[in-house]
């Protein structure tokens, strides 16, 4: 069994609004420094985008990078697996220091088993949906989830435009979460910035992922994060 830190993500209140900068938009030549700055800049969580070049047409980083970054921050590592076969990599990311692991409901393998595997390793478990996947696809898993991640862009790349038509899905999932009577976080990911942060919060999202609007903001990290809180 992993000797894990108490999992800070599951300790977060579902009602507050948390900002999770995505390091996909950080300087990949200086990721340790980027991660180390986030806590002082007011971030609540570090969002780590993992891509396999198959589930999405891009490659990003693997468990070795997560392991190397672990000692640079005490913030929870919120690992978003955009992988066709995530069940093959859950243990490696948990061992590397992930606090939370989200897989896509569209991925291969028995989703319920993958979610159980994540929790058995001491991480909190989440499901993510592509923009084209209906909220109803979550129904069989609601009693297993700690988090739902709604994509407001097609997964694979940072810097895309926010898909406003996903707001209705956020409201629908927020209602499903209320009905589940579980403390499930609703996270939104893709094109989030100061212009849509309150819209997605009002739609029920309590965790906002932001890559470009944080790391590419001329105001700097701290002010960029403040505009989202
Ligand atoms: C896209 C990733 C997102 C993305 C967010 O596949 O899952 O986390 O990096 O980046 P922005 O905020 O630039 O859309
Ligand atoms: Zn992501």
């Amino acid at each position: 069994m992993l000797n894990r830190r108490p999992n800070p993500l599951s300790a977060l209140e579902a009602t507050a609004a948390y900002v999770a900068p995505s390091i996909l938009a950080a300087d990949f030549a200086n990721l340790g420094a980027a991660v180390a700055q986030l806590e002082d800049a007011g971030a609540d969580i570090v969002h780590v985008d993992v891509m396999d070049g198959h589930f999405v047409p891009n490659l990003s980083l693997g468990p070795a990078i997560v392991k190397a970054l672990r000692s640079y921050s005490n913030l929870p590592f919120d690992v978003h697996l955009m992988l066709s076969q995530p069940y093959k990599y859950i243990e490696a990311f948990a061992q590397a220091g992930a606090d939370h692991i989200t897989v896509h409901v569209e991925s291969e393998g028995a989703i319920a088993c993958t979610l159980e595997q994540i929790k058995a390793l001491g991480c909190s478990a989440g499901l993510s949906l592509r923009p084209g996947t209906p909220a109803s696809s979550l129904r069989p898993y609601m009693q297993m989830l700690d988090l739902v991640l709604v994509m407001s862009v097609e997964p694979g790349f940072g810097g895309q435009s926010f898909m406003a038509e996903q707001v209705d899905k956020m409201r629908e999932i927020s209602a499903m979460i209320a009905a589940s009577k579980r403390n499930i976080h609703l996270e939104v990911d893709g094109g989030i910035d100061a212009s849509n942060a309150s819209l997605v919060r009002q739609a029920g999202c309590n965790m906002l992922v932001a890559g470009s609007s944080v790391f590419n903001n001329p105001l700097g990290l701290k002010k960029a994060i403040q505009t989202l809180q």
Side-chain angles (χ1 to χ4, degrees):
M1 186 60 183
L2 295 167
N3 61 330
R4 302 189 57 72
R5 300 179 308 286
N7 187 325
L9 188 54
S10 51
L12 295 179
E13 287 304 312
T15 49
Y18 301 100
V19 175
S22 162
I23 60 170
L24 188 71
D27 174 3
F28 266 37
N30 295 288
L31 272 183
V35 167
Q37 292 174 55
L38 289 176
E39 190 163 5
D40 288 345
D44 302 289
I45 297 154
V46 179
H47 187 78
V48 182
D49 285 310
V50 182
M51 302 176 183
D52 63 1
H54 184 261
F55 185 77
V56 292
N58 193 7
L59 280 167
S60 60
L61 52 89
I65 302 283
V66 172
K67 186 175 180 190
L69 295 173
R70 184 63 274 178
S71 61
Y72 283 79
S73 176
N74 291 319
L75 292 179
F77 279 10
D78 165 33
V79 176
H80 176 193
L81 297 183
M82 289 162 272
L83 311 176
S84 293
Q85 299 176 329
Y87 55 88
K88 291 182 175 175
Y89 305 96
I90 302 296
E91 184 155 8
F93 280 103
Q95 295 270 4
D99 294 281
H100 173 81
I101 298 177
T102 290
V103 301
H104 271 261
V105 71
E106 307 93 350
S107 62
E108 296 168 26
I111 295 295
C113 296
T114 303
L115 294 171
E116 288 298 350
Q117 184 189 10
I118 293 169
K119 300 203 283 188
L121 287 161
C123 297
S124 44
L127 276 181
S128 184
L129 309 90
R130 290 176 188 272
T133 301
S136 56
S137 63
L138 297 170
R139 221 170 282 291
Y141 313 106
M142 290 305 289
Q143 289 305 317
M144 303 178 71
L145 295 176
D146 300 301
L147 178 141
V148 173
L149 174 58
V150 179
M151 294 306 297
S152 41
V153 295
E154 278 302 332
F157 297 90
Q160 301 177 76
S161 301
F162 175 74
M163 296 169 73
E165 65 273 23
Q166 296 301 310
V167 175
D168 286 342
K169 190 196 287 187
M170 294 168 206
R171 294 191 183 103
E172 187 181 354
I173 295 171
S174 185
M176 290 168 68
I177 289 172
S180 76
K181 306 257 188 288
R182 282 174 61 86
N183 176 19
I184 299 174
H185 299 287
L186 183 52
E187 187 175 31
V188 57
D189 187 357
I192 298 300
D193 60 24
S195 72
N196 52 42
S198 53
L199 173 66
V200 298
R201 279 211 302 275
Q202 284 156 22
C205 298
N206 76 311
M207 286 171 67
L208 279 58
V209 174
S212 319
S213 68
V214 169
F215 285 103
N216 302 339
N217 196 312
L219 297 174
L221 288 179
K222 198 171 186 79
K223 287 230 183 331
I225 291 168
Q226 282 170 349
T227 64
L228 303 175
Q229 284 168 329

